Amino acid sequence: MKTPTKPLLRVWEWQAEATCRGMDSAVFFSPPGERGRARRRREDEARAICAGCPVSDPCARFALASRQHYGVWGGSTEAERRGDPESRAAS
């Protein structure tokens, strides 16, 4: 039995409109060992970019659907996507 699949372009086409397109991904992904204030500062910077992005909702949905374990996607951090109760308090 064949499973119908969507063309990959449809899965990713929202990215063409992303504010972050072409930006350094280091803003959105934590370097090894990053913690505390440095991490919150970077995540806040990423969230600010996402806040003005026309495709932040599809980005956030993609991160949840594809189980992205790392980075800020659509304005949500990895801890927020995991549902960590303290993740909102720290932001």
Side-chain angles (χ1 to χ4, degrees):
M1 176 181 204
K2 285 189 173 185
T3 303
T5 59
K6 289 190 231 176
L8 281 178
L9 178 59
R10 287 193 189 145
V11 174
W12 293 97
E13 67 187 349
W14 55 269
Q15 288 188 345
E17 303 300 320
T19 301
C20 65
R21 186 173 172 86
M23 292 181 73
D24 184 354
S25 63
V27 174
F28 301 92
F29 295 92
S30 176
E34 181 187 55
R35 301 228 186 324
R37 188 175 297 154
R39 184 179 192 111
R40 285 190 299 277
R41 189 174 29 245
R42 183 192 47 75
E43 288 175 344
D44 287 347
E45 183 180 347
R47 281 192 189 107
I49 294 165
C50 295
C53 182
V55 294
S56 63
D57 287 341
C59 181
R61 285 192 304 270
F62 171 81
L64 287 171
S66 61
R67 296 185 176 131
Q68 295 296 316
H69 296 287
Y70 303 103
V72 174
W73 291 78
S76 65
T77 66
E78 52 214 44
E80 291 165 343
R81 290 192 302 278
R82 281 193 310 266
D84 289 355
E86 294 184 25
S87 62
R88 290 283 180 192
S91 58

